[in-house]
């Protein structure tokens, strides 16, 4: 009887859901038209103007690079990548033998844009925090009178040129009727620069291993949203996947011998990221979250029953940390290095006899030993010419003793950055209530409206907020679902970090931002990024029924 009732309920649910889908998709079927009053560029440029012309782009688009940076291969390689994206329907080596090719030749005509001119004023390709990412982009019909040219990107650095290339690629749209690439609403004149210097995404390769190819796919997708820092949370209590040449047994803490990163892998990831204007900030979390270290070197554990925090009483612990940082300094050129420092439970220090004796001999409480550990690790990092970044617990516990160079990384909630900058520290905003992507119930609009400068009105204090970061913690994310968990919500934060606050905080964002985010999500899909529907009730869930990409 119960079984039959459940069957009836199941049938009823199917009928109800089907009816709702019909109503839902019917109500959306009229909303797929593009709102021409909006600029479908993500993130929104700082300043721009557009017109009413439609320009065609030559599939044989040429690159012309000038300025002091004309010899840098970053721009040339980026142009080839973007050319493949823009002309995805031009399949090299296929059309030349196609029966349709002659037909297309008969339809061919002159193109409005045949050359993309890029002017880079500096030949310095060093990539660090605050590198100039500004650019100017002009896309206009060349009638022989303009001295600027057809499509021109001008930037002080190659990294500004990269951002301009991304914007240009978003202006280009394939028209299926004419089978050509068009730029609508030309002429475009864009002057653009980021609001914040630090625009990050955290990935976690300890909770689940991510193959190098997957990490590179994530980096590629970051460049589409103009994010510029990959925070690589490499190691945690669950696994230690990274090769450390000085202490080769450390990666015995990996899940398996197949889930590891060699030194060469790490070099490849950093190099791949640099070619896309993205820094890699490595994190080695100490003294907590470090149980996996002891798989290779059990002496790092206070005892077999007390496996973290790391043993504060032994110089060996700090020798290992120093060697790890020395080895990593050869791989990661970015000036910021994340030392963690969060969620440290020191109870077992007090109950482990030799650590307890050390605490007594040094007249320290366990809490004071936590401070001692963090400060000593900071000193090691600074000696290797790194600026230490620590999770906010260190600031909350002993702000007055932190090294003044410390960057405080907010995560627990609001109000931390205002307190940190008031004391002269720099801050990164990652309030978990909005910018933790593993919190699947946070909708796009809450991600979009979260404000790194909330509660900070003094301009000099605002300057101390480096920016922000969305965090993709890996407990329930691996290769199978990480991209659809990151996107498109990470894009909502990306616009908050790039675009002017005034431009994206006025009006009804359901009308001004949501259609554009739908469009950007579909752009990601077209580029092979498995971005989930924007309006999911629960992030990374598939569509609830048939419908256009642009309204899901």
């Amino acid at each position: 009887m119960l079984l039959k009732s459940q069957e009836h309920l199941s049938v009823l649910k199917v009928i109800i859901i089907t009816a709702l889908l019909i109503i839902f998709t019917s109500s959306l079927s009229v909303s797929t038209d593009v709102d021409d009053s909006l600029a479908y560029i993500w993130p929104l440029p700082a300043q721009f103007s557009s017109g009413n012309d439609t320009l065609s782009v030559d599939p044989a688009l040429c690159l012309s690079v000038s300025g002091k940076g004309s010899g840098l291969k970053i721009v040339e390689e980026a142009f080839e990548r973007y050319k493949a994206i823009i002309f995805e329907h031009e399949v090299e080596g296929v059309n030349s033998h196609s029966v349709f090719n002659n037909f297309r030749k008969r339809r061919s005509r002159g193109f409005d844009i045949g050359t993309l001119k890029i002017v880079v004023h500096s030949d310095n390709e060093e990539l660090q925090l605050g590198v100039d990412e500004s650019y100017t982009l002009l896309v206009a019909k060349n009638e022989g009178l303009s001295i600027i040219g057809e499509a021109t990107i001008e930037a002080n650095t190659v990294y500004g040129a990269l951002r301009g290339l991304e914007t240009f690629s978003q202006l280009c749209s394939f028209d299926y009727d004419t089978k050509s690439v068009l730029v609508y609403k030309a002429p475009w004149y864009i002057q653009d620069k980021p609001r914040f210097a630090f625009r990050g995404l955290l990935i976690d390769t300890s909770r689940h291993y991510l193959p190098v190819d997957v990490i590179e796919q994530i980096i590629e997708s970051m460049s589409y949203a103009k994010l510029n820092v990959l925070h690589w949370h490499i190691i945690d209590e669950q696994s230690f996947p990274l090769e450390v040449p000085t202490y080769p047994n450390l990666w015995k803490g990996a899940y398996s011998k197949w889930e590891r990163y060699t030194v060469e892998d790490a070099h490849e990831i950093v190099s791949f990221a640099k070619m896309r204007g993205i820094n890699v900030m490595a994190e080695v979390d100490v003294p907590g979250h470090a149980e996996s270290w002891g798989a290779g070197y059990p002496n790092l554990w206070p005892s077999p029953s007390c496996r973290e925090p790391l043993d504060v009483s032994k110089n060996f612990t700090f020798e290992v940390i120093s060697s790890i940082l020395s080895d990593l300094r050869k791989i990661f050129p970015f000036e910021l290095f994340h030392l963690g420092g969060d969620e440290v439970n020191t109870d077992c220090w007090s109950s482990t006899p030799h650590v307890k004796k050390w605490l007594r001999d040094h007249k320290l409480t366990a809490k004071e030993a936590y401070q001692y550990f963090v400060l000593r690790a900071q000193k090691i990092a600074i000696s290797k010419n790194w600026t230490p970044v620590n999770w906010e617990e260190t600031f909350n516990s002993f702000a007055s003793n932190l090294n003044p160079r410390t960057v405080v990384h907010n995560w627990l909630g609001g109000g931390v950055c205002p307190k940190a900058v008031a004391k002269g520290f720099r801050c990164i905003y990652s309030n978990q209530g909005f910018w933790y992507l593993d919190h699947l119930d946070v909708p796009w609009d809450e991600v979009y409206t979260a404000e790194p400068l909330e509660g900070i009105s003094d301009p000099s204090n605002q300057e101390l907020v480096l920016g922000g970061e969305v965090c993709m913690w890996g407990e329930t994310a691996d290769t199978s679902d990480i991209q659809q968990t990151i996107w498109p919500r990470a894009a909502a934060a990306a616009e908050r970090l790039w675009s002017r606050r005034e431009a994206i905080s006025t009006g009804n964002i359901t009308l001004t931002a949501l259609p554009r985010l739908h469009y950007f999500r579909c752009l990601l899909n077209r580029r092979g990024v498995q971005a989930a529907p924007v309006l999911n009730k629960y992030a990374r869930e598939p569509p609830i029924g048939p419908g256009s990409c642009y309204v899901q």
Side-chain angles (χ1 to χ4, degrees):
M1 185 69 179
L2 178 61
L3 181 60
K4 286 192 175 182
S5 297
Q6 288 176 335
E7 288 175 352
H8 285 307
L9 284 172
S10 297
V11 172
L12 184 60
K13 283 181 181 178
V14 171
I15 293 171
I16 292 171
I17 291 171
T18 303
L20 288 173
L21 284 174
I22 292 170
I23 295 169
F24 179 73
T25 54
S26 298
S27 66
L28 292 178
S29 62
V30 296
S31 60
T32 57
D33 291 337
V34 171
D35 183 348
D36 287 334
S37 68
L38 300 177
Y40 288 87
I41 306 170
W42 197 282
L44 198 67
Q47 292 180 311
F48 62 92
S49 64
S50 60
N52 297 308
D53 293 339
T54 298
L55 307 182
S56 59
V57 186
D58 191 342
L61 185 69
C62 296
L63 173 67
S64 171
V65 187
S66 60
K68 290 183 179 179
S70 59
L72 300 177
K73 68 177 184 178
I74 291 178
V75 172
E76 291 183 4
E77 290 190 10
F79 174 75
E80 293 302 323
R81 290 197 307 273
Y82 279 108
K83 188 174 178 181
I85 289 171
I86 293 168
F87 301 105
E88 62 176 326
H89 295 281
E90 293 286 333
V91 184
E92 188 176 354
V94 174
N95 284 336
S96 60
H97 303 292
S98 170
V99 294
F100 295 103
N101 195 44
N102 291 332
F103 171 71
R104 295 185 68 184
K105 280 183 178 178
R106 287 196 299 271
R107 295 179 58 190
S108 66
R109 54 185 173 77
F111 294 95
D112 299 309
I113 301 172
T115 301
L116 176 62
K117 299 180 180 179
I118 300 180
V119 183
V120 181
H121 293 298
S122 172
D123 60 0
N124 184 355
E125 59 180 331
E126 183 181 6
L127 181 61
Q128 288 292 351
L129 185 69
V131 68
D132 190 340
E133 296 174 90
S134 65
Y135 67 91
T136 300
L137 171 62
L138 175 70
V139 184
K141 190 171 185 178
N142 185 352
E143 298 176 344
L145 302 176
S146 172
I147 61 171
I148 299 175
E150 299 166 329
T152 304
I153 297 170
E154 186 173 359
N156 292 323
T157 71
V158 288
Y159 304 110
L162 291 182
R163 307 305 173 225
L165 269 166
E166 173 58 40
T167 300
F168 176 72
S169 75
Q170 292 188 27
L171 292 179
C172 295
S173 178
F174 183 74
D175 181 79
Y176 284 85
D177 290 329
T178 62
K179 295 186 179 180
S180 60
V181 172
L182 303 177
V183 175
Y184 299 101
K185 299 175 67 174
W188 284 93
Y189 182 67
I190 297 171
Q191 286 185 299
D192 201 9
K193 63 180 181 179
R195 181 184 174 205
F196 290 104
F198 187 108
R199 307 180 306 281
L201 166 68
L202 176 146
I203 59 169
D204 171 10
T205 57
S206 174
R207 277 48 181 264
H208 282 100
Y209 175 83
L210 297 172
V212 172
D213 284 353
V214 173
I215 294 175
E216 291 182 344
Q217 289 165 17
I218 292 168
I219 291 169
E220 192 83 71
S221 67
M222 289 172 64
S223 70
Y224 301 152
K226 298 187 175 76
L227 293 174
N228 71 343
V229 179
L230 178 74
H231 176 177
W232 188 5
H233 186 87
I234 309 172
I235 299 153
D236 212 289
E237 63 189 74
Q238 290 85 359
S239 73
F240 196 117
L242 182 66
E243 179 184 18
V244 178
T246 310
Y247 285 92
N249 289 339
L250 280 169
W251 70 354
K252 286 186 176 181
Y255 286 123
S256 70
K257 64 181 180 181
W258 301 284
E259 295 168 290
R260 293 175 169 177
Y261 303 102
T262 64
V263 167
E264 291 80 9
D265 289 336
H267 269 294
E268 164 63 21
I269 288 167
V270 170
S271 176
F272 185 92
K274 181 180 180 180
M275 296 301 287
R276 288 146 184 83
I278 294 172
N279 279 299
V280 181
M281 178 176 70
E283 179 179 357
V284 174
D285 196 346
V286 293
H289 292 282
E291 180 180 340
S292 61
W293 298 38
Y297 297 94
N299 284 340
L300 292 168
W301 291 332
S303 75
S305 61
C306 173
R307 297 188 170 194
E308 59 181 14
L310 295 167
D311 194 329
V312 67
S313 71
K314 295 176 183 173
N315 280 327
F316 176 64
T317 301
F318 297 97
E319 290 170 6
V320 172
I321 291 172
S322 181
S323 294
I324 291 172
L325 297 192
S326 292
D327 286 349
L328 295 190
R329 199 64 179 104
K330 299 168 187 174
I331 302 171
F332 298 97
F334 191 38
E335 65 194 74
L336 300 183
F337 190 91
H338 210 300
L339 289 168
D342 62 313
E343 297 181 322
V344 179
N345 184 342
T346 60
D347 289 350
C348 77
W349 277 352
S350 303
S351 59
T352 303
H354 75 273
V355 180
K356 185 177 181 180
K357 180 179 183 300
W358 183 87
L359 292 172
R360 187 169 59 249
D361 291 346
H362 288 77
K363 298 181 174 56
L364 294 174
T365 65
K367 184 177 179 181
E368 290 168 337
Y370 163 50
Q371 173 184 304
Y372 163 83
F373 198 119
V374 168
L375 297 183
R376 188 167 174 181
Q378 283 194 336
K379 189 174 181 180
I380 294 169
I382 290 169
S383 73
K384 302 179 191 308
N385 199 30
W386 258 321
T387 297
V389 183
N390 282 101
W391 295 108
E392 69 175 73
E393 286 94 328
T394 59
F395 173 80
N396 297 338
S397 300
F398 43 87
S400 59
N401 292 321
L402 280 175
N403 188 287
R405 290 174 61 180
T406 304
V407 177
V408 177
H409 195 165
N410 153 246
W411 75 277
L412 284 170
V416 174
C417 282
K419 293 176 184 175
V421 299
K423 291 184 178 293
F425 292 102
R426 292 180 294 171
C427 192
I428 296 169
Y429 175 90
S430 289
N431 185 336
Q432 66 169 337
F434 308 110
W435 282 10
Y436 266 34
L437 299 174
D438 57 312
H439 294 193
L440 303 179
D441 58 344
V442 179
W444 79 273
D445 55 320
E446 292 184 15
V447 178
Y448 190 80
T449 54
E451 174 50 53
L453 296 185
E454 185 177 12
I456 307 172
S457 56
D458 184 270
S460 60
N461 285 346
Q462 290 179 346
E463 291 293 321
L464 295 175
V465 178
L466 298 181
E469 170 183 294
V470 283
C471 299
M472 184 61 264
W473 294 105
E475 284 85 351
T476 64
D478 66 3
T479 298
S480 70
D481 61 1
I482 189 167
Q483 286 282 47
Q484 56 262 51
T485 316
I486 292 172
W487 306 106
R489 291 183 303 161
E495 180 154 285
R496 175 63 47 179
L497 291 166
W498 178 278
S499 305
R500 290 188 305 115
R501 184 177 183 179
E502 301 79 14
I504 62 174
S505 299
T506 56
N508 183 342
I509 63 171
T510 302
L511 300 177
T512 60
L514 180 56
R516 297 172 43 252
L517 185 55
H518 278 305
Y519 189 88
F520 184 71
R521 179 254 171 165
C522 299
L523 177 145
L524 291 175
N525 286 173
R526 292 198 304 272
R527 294 184 181 186
V529 180
Q530 298 89 352
V534 176
L535 294 178
N536 295 27
K537 294 294 184 185
Y538 208 58
R540 78 185 179 204
E541 284 193 345
I544 61 172
S548 167
C549 174
Y550 297 92
V551 293
Q552 292 176 9

